[in-house]
Amino acid sequence: MDETETAFGPLHLRAIGAESAGPVDRISVRDYVREAEIGAFAAERGVTQRIRFNVVLEVAHHAAAREDDVDQVVSYDMIVKAIDRLLSEERVDLLETLAERLAQACLEDRRVSRSFIRVEKLDRIPGALGVEIVRSRVGPDLPRLLPEAPVKTRTRELVDVIYLDCAALKLAGSWLSAIAERGRPAIVCVGPGVEIGAPNTPNARRRGYLLVEMAGLELADMDDRFEVVSSRTEMEWSLDAGVFPIWAPARMAEAGRTRDVPDAASPAELAGWLSAVIEGRLVVVGETQELDVEATFVGWSDPDAINAI
């Protein structure tokens, strides 16, 4: 059976086509329509026409469903953003060029083994005309199940992870305004709001993280430009939407418990861990303290000082 027919066809056809290949997971974005200027003919220049995208990705088996962890899945949003970015970057003449670039953009995520792309013009004829391509990152003799791989970090301006200590929280509203109005992407971290000791049980460790989350929720209520998030995927959504994330660490910290994640009794170190994970820059607002990670320190009494960072 033709691979493209298998990918885009009904589920029973895909099941038949996948029988000899072992278990195959697929994600898809279907019938996504955008308007764009595209085409090699003079009549297609200076005007837009509707372009319909259908994308199916074969992905490596992973633990996302078992763990119910959004950060482990290949994001549908990645596909949509790749389409939008390609349409905004450069006008192209050929659907073939657009399809090829989209396939390669999807394959940048190492968990994607194959990309099935269908791109169609909807306004040239009463029906649709288009192209379908299949592109692969693995050869037919290599296993379809790939090892887990980190998500490719999307290129963006360096993100600041800003930790507000207890002293800074005395001026919390002013700090939030200063962070939001300086025009740079930032993720805010806070401590648990009360003094806690180092946890001696897993439950105590989790309680500490939940206390941080409660402090973050109180902070978010002060300024509607901020929202509490618990995963990297949510962080990306917030930053793209122009909303500033306040990190609730329980979910990511528990998922990363084998990677020496600091506990809530050391909130500045915890913020430093997040900064390392997202390859950001740690800014500590408050009293100078010894940290095991590189950080920029800002006094707590002058929110406008954040503009110099």
Side-chain angles (χ1 to χ4, degrees), residues 69-71 75 77 154 156 187 213 227-241 243-248 251-252:
D69 185 356
V70 67
D71 286 337
S75 173
D77 189 50
R154 182 165 53 84
R156 66 153 71 249
I187 300 167
E213 183 168 341
E227 66 179 7
V228 174
V229 303
S230 60
S231 68
R232 292 189 66 174
T233 302
E234 289 179 292
M235 290 177 194
E236 292 289 345
W237 272 90
S238 296
L239 292 170
D240 284 341
V243 179
F244 293 87
I246 299 174
W247 183 42
R251 185 169 187 168
M252 286 180 65

Side-chain angles (χ1 to χ4, degrees), residues 78-192:
M78 178 272 286
I79 302 172
V80 173
K81 288 182 183 300
I83 294 170
D84 293 345
R85 175 176 58 81
L86 289 171
L87 291 178
S88 66
E89 283 181 345
E90 179 184 7
R91 185 195 188 281
V92 297
D93 287 344
L94 302 178
L95 290 179
E96 288 84 351
T97 302
L98 188 56
E100 185 70 39
R101 292 178 180 178
L102 178 56
Q104 294 305 315
C106 293
L107 288 169
E108 287 183 2
D109 190 311
R110 291 170 49 206
R111 296 167 298 178
V112 177
S113 59
R114 289 200 298 177
S115 58
F116 298 79
I117 310 293
R118 176 187 290 164
V119 186
E120 299 168 294
K121 294 180 181 180
L122 302 181
D123 297 328
R124 289 285 291 166
I125 62 174
L129 53 85
V131 300
E132 297 173 351
I133 68 171
V134 181
R135 295 294 181 267
S136 176
R137 73 156 46 254
V138 296
D141 56 334
L142 295 180
R144 192 59 57 85
L145 300 185
L146 306 179
E148 288 191 8
V151 178
K152 180 179 175 65
T153 303
R154 182 165 53 84
T155 301
R156 66 153 71 249
E157 186 179 3
L158 182 69
V159 176
D160 288 333
V161 175
I162 302 178
Y163 169 67
L164 302 178
D165 77 356
C166 291
L169 291 178
K170 298 174 185 177
L171 300 173
S174 297
W175 276 107
L176 293 182
S177 293
I179 291 168
E181 292 167 7
R182 71 181 184 134
R184 284 181 52 85
I187 300 167
V188 173
C189 296
V190 293

Side-chain angles (χ1 to χ4, degrees), residues 43-57:
E44 295 178 293
R45 296 190 176 275
V47 297
T48 61
Q49 55 186 305
R50 290 176 301 150
I51 309 296
R52 180 168 62 199
F53 296 86
N54 281 275
V55 179
V56 178
L57 304 182

